[in-house]
Amino acid sequence: MGMPITPATAVSRSSDDSPEAVILLELVDEDGNTIGTAEKLSAHQAPGRLHRAFSVFLFDERGRLLLQQRALGKYHSPGVWSNTCCGHPYPGEAPFAAAARRTFEELGVSPVLMGEAGTVRYNHPDPASGLVEQEYNHLFVGLVRGPLRPDPEEVGDTAFVTPAELAERHEAGPFSAWFMTVLDAARPAIRELTGDSAGW
């Protein structure tokens, strides 16, 4: 008997330059029920296949949102700004666990007081790559404390922004195709977390 292949070991990143193992996403129906799996890139090729995803919005004690600029090496939306962290659970992995895991892997910090903020379903083509985001997205909001230690392979830059600063950045430079959709869907939970004075 060999070691059982769990989702985590099946998709672990290689430490050298060899191609990464196949990454599987969880395909879902319109109600978010799991209906199967698909390889990550194929799920994003037009017209896209509806799959489970998560988006995290973390705030500092002043109510500023932590943005990340996606690393230039990423196959999807490289170099654009987006929310704190987003990604896909492994098949069978709880979205909450995936959100906490990826936040730590990408930014080197664990969220504090992270809570669920609902779900949103969208279909966003990315004009630059031709890839399509057909996602059933689980939203999470929380606080972040302590120094960030971003993984340069994942994150090009980070910034904490007020709503006004976000509006300026959004006018000035490219953001991910899904950013405003997930932000708007998470706003009620964000306001509950940060309070009225933060302005979200």
Side-chain angles (χ1 to χ4, degrees), residues 168-200:
E168 283 176 25
R169 283 174 175 267
H170 199 257
E171 285 287 310
F175 272 70
S176 64
W178 61 86
F179 175 74
M180 288 310 292
T181 302
V182 291
L183 175 63
D184 286 343
R187 275 184 202 274
I190 289 171
R191 282 194 286 265
E192 203 172 307
L193 177 77
T194 60
D196 292 339
S197 60
W200 295 102

Side-chain angles (χ1 to χ4, degrees), residues 148-182:
L148 304 176
R149 294 181 297 279
D151 176 352
E153 289 191 12
E154 298 285 347
V155 179
D157 200 1
T158 58
F160 283 96
V161 297
T162 65
E165 289 164 346
L166 174 61
E168 283 176 25
R169 283 174 175 267
H170 199 257
E171 285 287 310
F175 272 70
S176 64
W178 61 86
F179 175 74
M180 288 310 292
T181 302
V182 291

Side-chain angles (χ1 to χ4, degrees), residues 137-148:
N137 197 314
H138 297 255
L139 307 171
F140 299 96
V141 302
L143 301 175
V144 62
R145 297 199 187 106
L148 304 176

